[in-house]
Short mmCIF file of all heavy atoms in Angstrom, two decimals:
data_model
loop_
_atom_site.label_atom_id
_atom_site.label_comp_id
_atom_site.label_asym_id
_atom_site.label_seq_id
_atom_site.Cartn_x
_atom_site.Cartn_y
_atom_site.Cartn_z
N THR A 26 26.71 21.40 -5.90
CA THR A 26 28.03 21.63 -5.29
C THR A 26 28.31 20.56 -4.26
O THR A 26 27.52 19.76 -3.93
CB THR A 26 28.07 23.01 -4.56
OG1 THR A 26 27.03 22.96 -3.53
CG2 THR A 26 27.68 24.20 -5.45
N TRP A 27 29.58 20.54 -3.85
CA TRP A 27 30.04 19.43 -2.97
C TRP A 27 29.21 19.29 -1.67
O TRP A 27 28.95 18.24 -1.16
CB TRP A 27 31.54 19.51 -2.68
CG TRP A 27 31.79 20.67 -1.78
CD1 TRP A 27 32.13 21.93 -2.14
CD2 TRP A 27 31.88 20.76 -0.35
NE1 TRP A 27 32.35 22.79 -1.06
CE2 TRP A 27 32.19 22.06 0.04
CE3 TRP A 27 31.58 19.73 0.65
CZ2 TRP A 27 32.33 22.38 1.39
CZ3 TRP A 27 31.64 20.09 1.99
CH2 TRP A 27 32.00 21.37 2.43
N TRP A 28 28.79 20.45 -1.07
CA TRP A 28 28.17 20.39 0.16
C TRP A 28 26.64 19.97 0.02
O TRP A 28 26.13 19.55 1.03
CB TRP A 28 28.20 21.69 0.90
CG TRP A 28 27.64 22.88 0.14
CD1 TRP A 28 28.28 23.79 -0.69
CD2 TRP A 28 26.31 23.35 0.19
NE1 TRP A 28 27.40 24.69 -1.13
CE2 TRP A 28 26.24 24.51 -0.63
CE3 TRP A 28 25.13 22.92 0.87
CZ2 TRP A 28 24.95 25.18 -0.83
CZ3 TRP A 28 23.96 23.59 0.75
CH2 TRP A 28 23.93 24.75 -0.15
N HIS A 29 26.12 19.88 -1.24
CA HIS A 29 24.77 19.32 -1.40
C HIS A 29 24.85 17.75 -1.12
O HIS A 29 23.74 17.25 -0.76
CB HIS A 29 24.31 19.57 -2.83
CG HIS A 29 24.01 20.99 -3.13
ND1 HIS A 29 23.78 21.42 -4.36
CD2 HIS A 29 23.67 22.03 -2.34
CE1 HIS A 29 23.50 22.67 -4.33
NE2 HIS A 29 23.40 23.10 -3.09
N TRP A 30 26.04 17.23 -1.30
CA TRP A 30 26.08 15.79 -1.02
C TRP A 30 25.96 15.36 0.41
O TRP A 30 25.68 14.27 0.70
CB TRP A 30 27.31 15.25 -1.70
CG TRP A 30 27.18 15.39 -3.19
CD1 TRP A 30 27.62 16.34 -4.03
CD2 TRP A 30 26.50 14.49 -4.06
NE1 TRP A 30 27.31 16.10 -5.34
CE2 TRP A 30 26.54 14.94 -5.38
CE3 TRP A 30 25.76 13.31 -3.85
CZ2 TRP A 30 26.00 14.28 -6.43
CZ3 TRP A 30 25.25 12.61 -4.88
CH2 TRP A 30 25.31 13.17 -6.16
N ILE A 31 26.28 16.24 1.27
CA ILE A 31 26.22 15.96 2.77
C ILE A 31 24.83 15.56 3.16
O ILE A 31 24.69 14.41 3.78
CB ILE A 31 26.73 17.07 3.57
CG1 ILE A 31 28.27 17.38 3.31
CG2 ILE A 31 26.62 16.86 5.08
CD1 ILE A 31 28.80 18.60 3.83
N PRO A 32 23.76 16.35 2.95
CA PRO A 32 22.43 15.81 3.33
C PRO A 32 21.99 14.52 2.58
O PRO A 32 21.28 13.66 3.12
CB PRO A 32 21.52 17.01 3.11
CG PRO A 32 22.23 17.89 2.24
CD PRO A 32 23.77 17.63 2.41
N ILE A 33 22.52 14.42 1.37
CA ILE A 33 22.11 13.25 0.53
C ILE A 33 22.77 11.99 1.19
O ILE A 33 22.06 11.03 1.33
CB ILE A 33 22.61 13.45 -0.90
CG1 ILE A 33 21.83 14.52 -1.65
CG2 ILE A 33 22.45 12.11 -1.72
CD1 ILE A 33 22.41 14.92 -2.95
N ILE A 34 23.99 12.11 1.64
CA ILE A 34 24.63 10.96 2.27
C ILE A 34 23.88 10.63 3.54
O ILE A 34 23.62 9.46 3.93
CB ILE A 34 26.09 11.24 2.44
CG1 ILE A 34 26.80 11.24 1.13
CG2 ILE A 34 26.77 10.17 3.43
CD1 ILE A 34 28.19 11.75 1.14
N VAL A 35 23.47 11.59 4.32
CA VAL A 35 22.70 11.38 5.56
C VAL A 35 21.38 10.71 5.35
O VAL A 35 21.02 9.75 5.98
CB VAL A 35 22.47 12.73 6.34
CG1 VAL A 35 21.58 12.55 7.50
CG2 VAL A 35 23.86 13.29 6.78
N VAL A 36 20.76 11.16 4.28
CA VAL A 36 19.47 10.51 3.83
C VAL A 36 19.69 9.07 3.47
O VAL A 36 18.90 8.18 3.84
CB VAL A 36 18.71 11.29 2.80
CG1 VAL A 36 17.54 10.56 2.19
CG2 VAL A 36 18.28 12.67 3.31
N ILE A 37 20.73 8.79 2.77
CA ILE A 37 21.07 7.40 2.39
C ILE A 37 21.30 6.54 3.58
O ILE A 37 20.78 5.37 3.57
CB ILE A 37 22.25 7.35 1.31
CG1 ILE A 37 21.84 7.94 0.00
CG2 ILE A 37 22.77 5.95 1.16
CD1 ILE A 37 23.05 8.26 -0.89
N VAL A 38 22.05 7.02 4.52
CA VAL A 38 22.38 6.21 5.69
C VAL A 38 21.09 5.95 6.46
O VAL A 38 20.89 4.79 6.93
CB VAL A 38 23.39 6.95 6.56
CG1 VAL A 38 23.53 6.27 7.98
CG2 VAL A 38 24.76 7.00 5.90
N VAL A 39 20.24 6.99 6.64
CA VAL A 39 18.97 6.76 7.35
C VAL A 39 18.09 5.78 6.51
O VAL A 39 17.41 4.91 7.11
CB VAL A 39 18.20 8.08 7.62
CG1 VAL A 39 16.86 7.92 8.14
CG2 VAL A 39 19.05 8.99 8.52
N ASP A 40 18.10 5.94 5.18
CA ASP A 40 17.32 5.02 4.28
C ASP A 40 17.64 3.64 4.57
O ASP A 40 16.81 2.70 4.73
CB ASP A 40 17.52 5.47 2.86
CG ASP A 40 16.66 4.68 1.96
OD1 ASP A 40 15.52 4.26 2.25
OD2 ASP A 40 17.20 4.42 0.84
N PHE A 41 18.95 3.34 4.56
CA PHE A 41 19.39 2.02 4.78
C PHE A 41 19.11 1.38 6.14
O PHE A 41 18.92 0.18 6.30
CB PHE A 41 20.78 1.73 4.28
CG PHE A 41 20.84 1.59 2.76
CD1 PHE A 41 21.10 2.68 1.99
CD2 PHE A 41 20.66 0.38 2.14
CE1 PHE A 41 21.12 2.62 0.63
CE2 PHE A 41 20.69 0.30 0.78
CZ PHE A 41 20.88 1.38 -0.04
N HIS A 42 19.05 2.33 7.18
CA HIS A 42 18.64 1.90 8.47
C HIS A 42 17.20 1.49 8.44
O HIS A 42 16.85 0.44 8.98
CB HIS A 42 18.86 3.06 9.44
CG HIS A 42 18.25 2.79 10.76
ND1 HIS A 42 18.81 1.92 11.69
CD2 HIS A 42 17.00 3.32 11.33
CE1 HIS A 42 17.93 1.87 12.80
NE2 HIS A 42 17.00 2.75 12.59
N TRP A 43 16.29 2.19 7.79
CA TRP A 43 14.85 1.81 7.69
C TRP A 43 14.76 0.51 6.89
O TRP A 43 13.96 -0.34 7.23
CB TRP A 43 14.04 2.90 7.04
CG TRP A 43 13.93 4.22 7.82
CD1 TRP A 43 14.08 5.41 7.23
CD2 TRP A 43 13.71 4.45 9.22
NE1 TRP A 43 14.04 6.35 8.28
CE2 TRP A 43 13.73 5.76 9.43
CE3 TRP A 43 13.50 3.56 10.26
CZ2 TRP A 43 13.54 6.34 10.72
CZ3 TRP A 43 13.30 4.11 11.52
CH2 TRP A 43 13.31 5.49 11.74
N LEU A 44 15.55 0.34 5.88
CA LEU A 44 15.54 -0.90 5.16
C LEU A 44 15.89 -2.14 5.98
O LEU A 44 15.19 -3.13 5.96
CB LEU A 44 16.47 -0.78 3.91
CG LEU A 44 16.52 -1.96 2.99
CD1 LEU A 44 15.17 -2.13 2.14
CD2 LEU A 44 17.65 -1.75 1.96
N ALA A 45 16.95 -2.01 6.84
CA ALA A 45 17.34 -2.98 7.68
C ALA A 45 16.23 -3.29 8.73
O ALA A 45 15.95 -4.44 9.10
CB ALA A 45 18.61 -2.62 8.43
N LYS A 46 15.54 -2.30 9.22
CA LYS A 46 14.57 -2.46 10.27
C LYS A 46 13.35 -3.21 9.61
O LYS A 46 12.73 -4.03 10.18
CB LYS A 46 14.06 -1.04 10.77
CG LYS A 46 15.06 -0.33 11.57
CD LYS A 46 15.42 -1.02 12.90
CE LYS A 46 14.36 -0.88 13.94
NZ LYS A 46 14.69 -1.47 15.21
N ALA A 47 13.03 -2.87 8.41
CA ALA A 47 11.93 -3.62 7.63
C ALA A 47 12.22 -5.05 7.54
O ALA A 47 11.30 -5.90 7.71
CB ALA A 47 11.72 -2.94 6.32
N CYS A 48 13.45 -5.39 7.31
CA CYS A 48 13.87 -6.83 7.15
C CYS A 48 13.82 -7.62 8.45
O CYS A 48 13.90 -8.85 8.41
CB CYS A 48 15.29 -6.86 6.50
SG CYS A 48 15.27 -6.36 4.73
N GLU A 49 13.76 -6.94 9.61
CA GLU A 49 13.68 -7.60 10.87
C GLU A 49 12.36 -8.35 11.03
O GLU A 49 12.19 -9.29 11.73
CB GLU A 49 13.88 -6.63 11.99
CG GLU A 49 15.28 -6.11 12.09
CD GLU A 49 15.46 -5.09 13.21
OE1 GLU A 49 14.49 -4.81 13.90
OE2 GLU A 49 16.60 -4.61 13.28
N SER A 50 11.28 -7.80 10.41
CA SER A 50 9.94 -8.36 10.65
C SER A 50 9.26 -8.85 9.39
O SER A 50 8.21 -9.40 9.45
CB SER A 50 9.08 -7.42 11.40
OG SER A 50 8.88 -6.20 10.62
N LEU A 51 9.79 -8.64 8.13
CA LEU A 51 9.27 -9.08 6.94
C LEU A 51 10.34 -9.83 6.17
O LEU A 51 11.54 -9.67 6.34
CB LEU A 51 8.83 -7.82 6.15
CG LEU A 51 7.73 -7.02 6.64
CD1 LEU A 51 7.54 -5.72 5.84
CD2 LEU A 51 6.45 -7.77 6.67
N PRO A 52 9.95 -10.67 5.25
CA PRO A 52 10.90 -11.42 4.45
C PRO A 52 11.78 -10.39 3.65
O PRO A 52 11.29 -9.50 3.02
CB PRO A 52 10.05 -12.28 3.49
CG PRO A 52 8.68 -12.34 4.16
CD PRO A 52 8.55 -11.08 4.91
N THR A 53 12.98 -10.68 3.71
CA THR A 53 14.02 -9.74 3.03
C THR A 53 13.73 -9.67 1.53
O THR A 53 13.81 -8.52 0.93
CB THR A 53 15.43 -10.16 3.29
OG1 THR A 53 15.65 -10.29 4.70
CG2 THR A 53 16.48 -9.30 2.65
N GLY A 54 13.43 -10.72 0.87
CA GLY A 54 13.21 -10.70 -0.55
C GLY A 54 11.93 -9.81 -0.92
O GLY A 54 11.99 -9.08 -1.92
N THR A 55 10.96 -9.90 -0.14
CA THR A 55 9.71 -9.05 -0.34
C THR A 55 10.05 -7.56 -0.08
O THR A 55 9.73 -6.76 -0.90
CB THR A 55 8.59 -9.51 0.57
OG1 THR A 55 8.34 -10.88 0.30
CG2 THR A 55 7.33 -8.75 0.33
N VAL A 56 10.85 -7.32 0.98
CA VAL A 56 11.17 -5.97 1.34
C VAL A 56 11.97 -5.39 0.22
O VAL A 56 11.75 -4.24 -0.25
CB VAL A 56 11.90 -5.88 2.68
CG1 VAL A 56 12.60 -4.45 2.82
CG2 VAL A 56 11.06 -6.23 3.86
N TYR A 57 13.02 -6.08 -0.24
CA TYR A 57 13.82 -5.56 -1.29
C TYR A 57 13.14 -5.44 -2.68
O TYR A 57 13.39 -4.49 -3.35
CB TYR A 57 15.13 -6.42 -1.53
CG TYR A 57 16.03 -5.77 -2.42
CD1 TYR A 57 16.81 -4.58 -2.05
CD2 TYR A 57 16.19 -6.12 -3.74
CE1 TYR A 57 17.61 -3.93 -2.90
CE2 TYR A 57 17.13 -5.46 -4.67
CZ TYR A 57 17.78 -4.36 -4.21
OH TYR A 57 18.57 -3.70 -5.05
N ALA A 58 12.28 -6.37 -2.95
CA ALA A 58 11.49 -6.21 -4.18
C ALA A 58 10.61 -4.98 -4.14
O ALA A 58 10.51 -4.27 -5.15
CB ALA A 58 10.58 -7.51 -4.39
N VAL A 59 9.95 -4.70 -3.09
CA VAL A 59 9.18 -3.53 -2.95
C VAL A 59 10.06 -2.22 -3.04
O VAL A 59 9.73 -1.30 -3.78
CB VAL A 59 8.28 -3.50 -1.62
CG1 VAL A 59 7.61 -2.22 -1.44
CG2 VAL A 59 7.27 -4.61 -1.80
N PHE A 60 11.11 -2.23 -2.23
CA PHE A 60 12.04 -1.16 -2.31
C PHE A 60 12.58 -0.84 -3.64
O PHE A 60 12.57 0.28 -4.14
CB PHE A 60 13.29 -1.54 -1.36
CG PHE A 60 14.37 -0.56 -1.33
CD1 PHE A 60 14.29 0.63 -0.63
CD2 PHE A 60 15.57 -0.85 -2.00
CE1 PHE A 60 15.35 1.49 -0.52
CE2 PHE A 60 16.66 0.03 -1.94
CZ PHE A 60 16.50 1.22 -1.21
N ALA A 61 13.00 -1.88 -4.43
CA ALA A 61 13.56 -1.72 -5.75
C ALA A 61 12.34 -1.25 -6.70
O ALA A 61 12.68 -0.35 -7.61
CB ALA A 61 14.07 -3.00 -6.20
N ALA A 62 11.25 -1.86 -6.61
CA ALA A 62 10.14 -1.48 -7.44
C ALA A 62 9.75 -0.01 -7.31
O ALA A 62 9.58 0.70 -8.28
CB ALA A 62 8.98 -2.47 -7.37
N VAL A 63 9.53 0.41 -6.10
CA VAL A 63 9.03 1.74 -5.81
C VAL A 63 10.19 2.67 -6.26
O VAL A 63 9.89 3.74 -6.84
CB VAL A 63 8.78 1.95 -4.30
CG1 VAL A 63 8.60 3.40 -3.90
CG2 VAL A 63 7.57 1.20 -3.95
N GLY A 64 11.45 2.39 -6.00
CA GLY A 64 12.48 3.20 -6.46
C GLY A 64 12.59 3.33 -7.87
O GLY A 64 12.77 4.48 -8.46
N THR A 65 12.46 2.20 -8.61
CA THR A 65 12.47 2.23 -10.14
C THR A 65 11.36 3.01 -10.71
O THR A 65 11.52 3.96 -11.53
CB THR A 65 12.48 0.86 -10.66
OG1 THR A 65 13.59 0.10 -10.14
CG2 THR A 65 12.53 0.81 -12.08
#
């Protein structure tokens, strides 16, 4: 239902915050490669 998407959107926003924080201290290419591989 439509309201199920509210927590999903919150999780996505928090997720991309953690992704950005990881890129502050690690090479972005490595962070994204791990992120994409684990996701896939």
Side-chain angles (χ1 to χ4, degrees):
T26 62
W27 70 268
W28 60 269
H29 288 164
W30 291 97
I31 295 169
I33 294 169
I34 291 168
V35 170
V36 170
I37 290 171
V38 169
V39 172
D40 181 33
F41 281 93
H42 170 74
W43 296 134
L44 184 65
K46 294 295 283 182
C48 291
E49 290 176 3
S50 57
L51 295 170
T53 302
T55 302
V56 170
Y57 188 73
V59 171
F60 174 77
V63 169
T65 302

